């Protein structure tokens, strides 16, 4: 049961952000979704956007840079794995709080599942 619904939550108002409202909150239907904020208005997201977007294992094969107010299907692909991979993903490592630090985007591919 690793499929989820994605809904943006505002910590200040303690409420979900309406995707059809003025704020145009991020929301996705149930899928094996992975998402990270790149900025307030941009998500890096891997989810089911149709044919070719998932691996044969049923996990995201592509990562898209999804801007607020647009359709996730129209977001540009910034990283993709192979259809036979287990999954692929991307995360952000933010070192800007350090003197001279930067933000790093890290991509990963899980090419097989290992037995423990």
């Amino acid at each position: 049961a690793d499929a989820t619904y994605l809904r943006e939550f505002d910590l200040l108002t303690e409420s979900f952000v309406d995707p059809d409202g003025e704020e145009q909150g991020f929301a996705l239907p149930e899928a094996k979704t992975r998402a990270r904020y790149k900025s307030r208005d941009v998500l890096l997201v891997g989810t089911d956007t149709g044919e070719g977007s998932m691996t044969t294992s049923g996990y995201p094969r592509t990562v898209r840079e999804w801007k607020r107010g647009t359709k996730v299907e129209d977001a540009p692909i910034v990283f993709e794995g192979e259809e036979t991979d287990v999954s692929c993903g991307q995360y952000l490592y933010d070192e800007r709080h350090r003197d001279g630090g930067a933000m790093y985007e890290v991509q990963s591919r899980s090419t097989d599942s290992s037995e423990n």
Side-chain angles (χ1 to χ4, degrees):
D2 48 1
T4 61
Y5 293 93
L6 183 137
R7 292 181 66 195
E8 185 175 12
F9 189 79
D10 186 324
L11 294 173
L12 298 177
T13 63
E14 298 181 353
S15 62
F16 289 104
V17 181
D18 184 355
D20 299 319
E22 185 178 322
E23 290 287 320
Q24 299 178 324
F26 292 109
L28 291 171
E30 184 177 22
K32 293 179 180 178
T33 298
R34 295 181 176 149
R36 299 283 187 271
Y37 277 99
K38 183 172 181 176
S39 69
R40 182 188 182 286
D41 295 318
V42 178
L43 283 185
L44 296 174
V45 62
T47 193
D48 188 353
T49 56
E51 187 176 339
S53 65
M54 305 297 273
T55 66
T56 53
S57 296
Y59 290 94
R61 189 183 72 79
T62 61
V63 176
R64 294 172 179 264
E65 189 171 287
W66 184 23
K67 293 182 181 177
R68 186 179 302 280
T70 65
K71 293 180 180 182
V72 69
E73 298 87 3
D74 297 336
I77 295 172
V78 295
F79 181 70
E80 62 186 300
E82 300 294 325
E83 189 175 325
T84 55
D85 289 348
V86 174
S87 68
C88 78
Q90 185 164 348
Y91 67 94
L92 299 171
Y93 188 68
D94 191 348
E95 285 290 313
R96 292 177 296 179
H97 64 283
R98 297 182 186 263
D99 200 20
M103 185 176 341
Y104 303 94
E105 291 183 28
V106 179
Q107 293 96 12
S108 65
R109 286 177 55 211
S110 297
T111 56
D112 64 28
S113 58
S114 300
E115 293 185 33
N116 294 331

